[in-house]
Amino acid sequence: MTANDRLTVAVLGPGGIGGLLAALLSRAGHRVICLAGDDTAKTLRTTGIHVRSGLFGDFTADVETDTELREPVDACLIAVKATALDAALTRVPPTALGDALVVPFLNGVEHPEALRTRYRPDRVAPAVIRAESTRVAPGQIEHASPFAEIDLTGDPVPRGHLDALAQALGAAGPTTRVLEDETATLWAKMSFLAPFALLTTHHALPLGDVRTRHREELTSLVEETAAVSRACGGPADPAQALARYDAFPPGTKSSMQRDAEAGRPLELDAIGGALLRAAERHGVPAPVTARLVGELKAAGH
Ligand SMILES: NC(=O)c1ccc[n+]([C@@H]2O[C@H](COP(=O)([O-])OP(=O)(O)OC[C@H]3O[C@@H](n4cnc5c(N)ncnc54)[C@H](OP(=O)(O)O)[C@@H]3O)[C@@H](O)[C@H]2O)c1
């Protein structure tokens, strides 16, 4: 894989993020194979993926589909929720992948290690994406945020592979950079996301109400998360995180909160659970996280 090649890219989980990236890469001229269950695969094969996006326009892109990866590809993007990851990975046999990059877009910090036990460790290249994109029906994607930014990383991955994929993603639409430090990249997102997701979901309130009515709790949680991030080798800037929350529109909801509202499984273990496990490993107190995770679990999540 080199820059400017026409790539063959598999996308496991063509939902809010996977569907958006599949459609953008297809529109840019790459060969895209979406891996999904029977019904979704059939729908996408018939109708393509329709994207509605203020940033990228409204368009329909054709994609190939399959229920399992059966041929070598340049990269396999993984965009299922953490709760569906194990089941979904059965569609990507390690032998079919060849030397392909495995690029998970999941939120959280633990999935890269899990993927490296299954696939070539030096081909697992985690990505962080900042965007708000929703699969409103199979093959129907609404990209609502006026931005889509990807940070691609992977400490053991040869830099040329990362650069080539970043070039293809960037040319297709999302602003894409390659970052050197995998731990810092993943924890930067986690530090912002965990307090936002846990508190909006726990209180069933949008960010505007959380940051005013539950300011003290938000501040404690942000500081706690920053301390865990620092202990793990990630960034720690609680004041900056709070300033970012304050800059968002007051009605902003987290995707964990939307999942709770819709009765879907939450990525609670991948976010809150992972934070607690990291805190425990490094002996960092995390009482606010522990209480929130415990209460969300007790509420049946
Ligand atoms: N959406 C966002 O704006 C956003 C932003 C940043 C990060 N993220 C992260 O990105 C990840 C994906 O989130 P998302 O919102 O894109 O999820 P999503 O819209 O729910 O899409 C997940 C996709 O996975 C598919 N899937 C589920 N189980 C599968 C299986 N066993 N085999 C194959 N496909 C399967 C679903 O298929 P069906 O269509 O058939 O149900 C769906 O298309 C999460 O970790 C999330 O936290 C999301």
Side-chain angles (χ1 to χ4, degrees):
M1 178 169 55
T2 55
N4 305 319
D5 277 354
R6 178 181 187 253
L7 304 182
T8 299
V9 180
V11 177
L12 177 65
I17 293 300
L20 177 67
L21 296 176
L24 288 169
L25 286 166
S26 168
R27 181 172 74 166
H30 301 288
R31 181 177 171 220
V32 175
I33 307 168
C34 289
L35 304 172
D38 278 323
D39 291 348
T40 297
K42 195 170 162 207
T43 304
L44 266 59
R45 193 158 51 238
T46 315
T47 65
I49 300 178
H50 185 67
V51 172
R52 289 181 49 184
S53 166
L55 186 62
F56 300 126
D58 295 359
F59 66 96
T60 302
D62 288 334
V63 291
E64 297 175 37
T65 65
D66 208 332
T67 54
E68 190 179 312
L69 185 67
R70 299 174 206 276
E71 58 182 299
V73 290
D74 294 301
C76 179
L77 314 187
I78 299 186
V80 295
K81 291 258 168 79
T83 46
L85 183 61
D86 288 347
L89 288 179
T90 60
R91 301 186 190 282
V92 185
T95 46
L97 259 185
D99 284 344
L101 283 183
V102 176
V103 187
F105 282 82
L106 285 74
N107 279 319
V109 292
E110 293 179 339
H111 56 276
E113 196 180 322
L115 288 169
R116 287 191 173 113
T117 62
R118 183 174 167 86
Y119 303 111
R120 270 186 69 164
D122 62 346
R123 292 295 183 271
V124 173
V128 160
I129 182 160
R130 289 175 292 281
E132 190 189 328
S133 185
T134 306
R135 161 209 169 287
V136 290
Q140 303 288 327
I141 307 298
E142 285 186 8
H143 169 230
S145 54
F147 53 85
E149 297 164 354
I150 295 172
D151 291 340
L152 185 62
T153 184
D155 290 345
V157 183
R159 177 69 191 229
H161 288 57
L162 297 177
D163 286 339
L165 183 63
Q167 152 85 27
L169 287 166
T175 306
T176 305
R177 18 175 225 183
V178 174
L179 296 185
E180 296 268 328
D181 185 336
E182 179 175 325
T183 302
T185 304
L186 294 173
W187 273 101
K189 176 77 186 273
M190 180 77 149
S191 302
F192 174 78
L193 180 72
F196 169 46
L198 292 174
L199 283 177
T200 50
T201 308
H202 182 264
H203 292 296
L205 289 172
L207 181 57
D209 289 323
V210 165
R211 73 188 173 210
T212 49
R213 290 164 56 183
H214 300 278
R215 186 78 183 182
E216 210 174 302
E217 195 181 25
L218 175 64
T219 305
S220 305
L221 186 55
V222 166
E223 286 171 354
E224 199 170 289
T225 309
V228 178
S229 175
R230 186 186 299 112
C232 292
D237 190 343
Q240 192 205 37
L242 285 169
R244 280 183 69 197
Y245 298 134
D246 287 340
F248 271 78
T252 303
K253 292 181 175 185
S254 66
S255 60
M256 186 185 283
Q257 178 183 11
R258 287 182 207 282
D259 285 340
E261 287 171 354
R264 293 187 290 260
L266 305 189
E267 292 184 302
L268 182 59
D269 187 64
I271 296 171
L275 189 54
L276 286 178
R277 286 186 285 277
E280 168 100 34
R281 250 192 334 272
H282 292 281
V284 177
V288 183
T289 311
R291 177 175 55 76
L292 291 170
V293 170
E295 288 176 6
L296 283 166
K297 277 191 190 157
H301 293 301

